[in-house]
């Protein structure tokens, strides 16, 4: 027993962590590709480095089966941002999207923290996953008969009472309101101020739709969802299953005017009427009133 104690190697914590790091580096001498879903990302422009997790979920369901810490250091950020720009802004690094990252496997001896250090990103993989998720939502809505449900709502002859979902005091808000004012018709507009880009879009827009549908049938004739133009990544917030289901379940006809000409969002597809811009949406309503006046 005494001889064993004399020859026993005693590690300090730093020595142990350093030894483990060296083992990891020998096991993974080169960068490796790792795919997973982003979680815990908190963008902060005042911080040089960005940290988040990649998680793996069950094949069926949202339960997380494994996770790993990711470090995106300031020196690599310009490359990653350039890669995403070259992909024509089809996505942003944000929570809940799947990415494929080229990483170095690392362990920081002073903290014992095991992590992956980002070297590069495969944007084609992420764009493919985004497209797959979009198609999955569309197929689900189609199978449940929700794509056409709001289109079956009768459109009023005199849509003068409007529920407006937009960012208050934005360019989209003013374009829409000014077009109505210029018509000289007696429109009444009830506005719900909502985020129109970012992670709060889903909750804000779905909540506004619930509120408008909770009002008396005499309060509103139609609901307009509108925002100004934006990148493909901005518009992706409207490829949202919860928003689509809220539109399909609405007792009021929905006009979508997300502010783009090329890309059609799921919000556009499930709405009663799709207009390109806020001004066009207002013009559509003005024209309905004008037609009714001429018929009278």
């Amino acid at each position: 027993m005494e001889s064993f104690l004399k020859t026993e190697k005693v590690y300090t914590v730093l020595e142990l962590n350093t030894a483990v790091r060296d083992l990891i580096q020998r096991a993974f001498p080169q960068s490796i590709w790792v795919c997973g879903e982003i979680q815990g990302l908190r963008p902060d422009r005042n911080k040089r480095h960005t940290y988040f997790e990649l998680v793996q979920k069950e094949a069926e369901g949202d339960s997380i089966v494994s996770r790993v810490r990711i470090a995106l250091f300031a020196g690599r950020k310009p490359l990653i941002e350039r890669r995403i720009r070259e992909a024509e802004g089809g996505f942003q690094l944000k929570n809940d999207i799947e990415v494929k990252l080229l990483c170095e496997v690392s362990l920081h001896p002073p903290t014992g923290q095991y992590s992956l250090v980002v070297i590069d990103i495969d944007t084609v993989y992420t764009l493919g996953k985004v497209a797959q998720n979009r198609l999955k939502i569309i197929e689900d809505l189609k199978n449940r008969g929700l794509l056409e449900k709001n289109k079956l709502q009768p459109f009023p002859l005199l849509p003068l009472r409007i529920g407006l979902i937009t960012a208050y005091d934005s360019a989209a808000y003013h374009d829409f309101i000014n077009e109505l004012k210029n018509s000289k018709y007696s429109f009444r507009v009830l506005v719900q101020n909502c985020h129109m880009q970012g992670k709060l879009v889903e909750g804000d827009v779905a909540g506004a739709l619930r509120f408008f549908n909770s009002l008396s049938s005499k309060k509103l004739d139609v609901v307009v969802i509108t925002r100004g133009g934006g990148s493909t990544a901005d518009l992706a917030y409207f490829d949202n299953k919860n928003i689509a289901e809220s539109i399909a379940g609405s007792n009021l006809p929905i006009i979508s005017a997300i502010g783009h000409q090329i890309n059609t969002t799921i919000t556009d597809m499930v709405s009663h009427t799709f207009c390109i811009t806020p001004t066009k949406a207002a013009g559509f309503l003005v024209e309905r009133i004008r037609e009714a006046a001429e018929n009278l």
Side-chain angles (χ1 to χ4, degrees):
M1 186 66 169
E2 290 181 0
S3 60
F4 173 76
L5 291 173
K6 289 178 181 179
T7 60
E8 183 183 39
K9 167 64 176 174
V10 179
Y11 288 86
T12 66
V13 174
L14 182 60
E15 285 174 338
L16 175 62
N17 286 346
T18 301
V20 173
R21 181 200 62 188
D22 294 342
L23 287 172
I24 289 174
Q25 289 178 345
R26 285 198 293 272
F28 299 98
Q30 298 178 331
S31 302
I32 60 171
W33 288 101
V34 181
C35 61
E37 182 179 301
I38 293 178
Q39 293 290 340
L41 177 62
R42 297 180 180 84
D44 189 339
R45 295 181 180 179
N46 296 322
K47 292 185 178 179
R48 297 178 63 245
H49 311 308
T50 301
Y51 301 97
F52 53 92
E53 289 185 332
L54 277 192
V55 304
Q56 177 184 341
K57 292 183 176 179
E58 291 180 339
E60 298 294 334
D62 288 330
S63 297
I64 295 174
V65 297
S66 190
R67 64 178 76 229
V68 64
R69 185 172 183 266
I70 303 293
L72 174 56
F73 293 132
R76 283 288 169 176
K77 277 187 179 181
L79 172 65
I80 302 302
E81 290 169 353
R82 188 174 78 246
R83 291 273 194 262
I84 293 173
R85 285 198 304 271
E86 289 172 351
E88 299 180 352
F91 68 95
Q92 296 173 335
L93 286 184
K94 61 180 182 178
N95 291 321
D96 304 320
I97 67 166
E98 277 201 54
V99 292
K100 180 181 175 183
L101 302 173
L102 184 64
C103 302
E104 291 179 348
V105 185
S106 175
L107 185 143
H108 188 231
T111 62
Q113 180 70 58
Y114 153 65
S115 63
L116 302 179
V117 178
V118 177
I119 304 299
D120 208 340
I121 185 171
D122 181 353
T123 56
V124 174
Y125 176 90
T126 302
L127 288 171
K129 286 295 182 180
V130 170
Q132 285 178 20
N133 184 60
R134 185 176 187 274
L135 290 174
K136 185 178 179 181
I137 293 173
I138 292 172
E139 188 66 21
D140 177 66
L141 294 170
K142 183 178 179 180
N143 290 339
R144 292 192 287 151
L146 300 184
L147 275 182
E148 303 297 323
K149 189 175 179 182
N150 192 252
K151 295 176 178 60
L152 300 177
Q153 291 289 339
F155 204 90
L157 293 175
L158 295 171
L160 289 168
R161 300 168 299 181
I162 303 165
L164 180 60
I165 298 175
T166 193
Y168 181 72
D169 209 28
S170 64
Y173 169 84
H174 288 291
D175 288 348
F176 182 83
I177 295 297
N178 289 338
E179 187 74 9
L180 296 185
K181 285 182 177 179
N182 292 337
S183 73
K184 307 302 182 183
Y185 293 122
S186 300
F187 287 101
R188 295 173 60 189
V189 181
L190 179 59
V191 183
Q192 279 292 97
N193 183 29
C194 296
H195 288 85
M196 301 307 285
Q197 68 180 51
K199 64 181 181 180
L200 297 179
V201 168
E202 176 183 351
D204 281 6
V205 173
L209 286 166
R210 285 195 299 271
F211 170 71
F212 284 147
N213 277 277
S214 71
L215 300 178
S216 165
S217 60
K218 297 180 180 180
K219 290 283 187 180
L220 295 176
D221 300 310
V222 66
V223 173
V224 176
I225 304 173
T226 189
R227 55 157 288 153
S231 68
T232 304
D234 293 333
L235 300 177
Y237 290 104
F238 291 89
D239 285 332
N240 182 277
K241 186 176 181 180
N242 188 19
I243 292 175
E245 289 174 339
S246 298
I247 292 172
S250 173
N251 296 320
L252 297 162
I254 309 297
I255 297 175
S256 171
I258 308 300
H260 57 101
Q261 299 185 29
I262 300 174
N263 300 303
T264 303
T265 68
I266 294 176
T267 293
D268 300 324
M269 296 174 65
V270 77
S271 293
H272 184 286
T273 302
F274 161 53
C275 297
I276 294 174
T277 65
T279 301
K280 292 289 186 181
F284 171 78
L285 292 169
V286 170
E287 187 59 29
R288 293 294 294 240
I289 303 301
R290 184 177 292 117
E291 288 176 359
E294 289 175 354
N295 288 336
L296 286 173

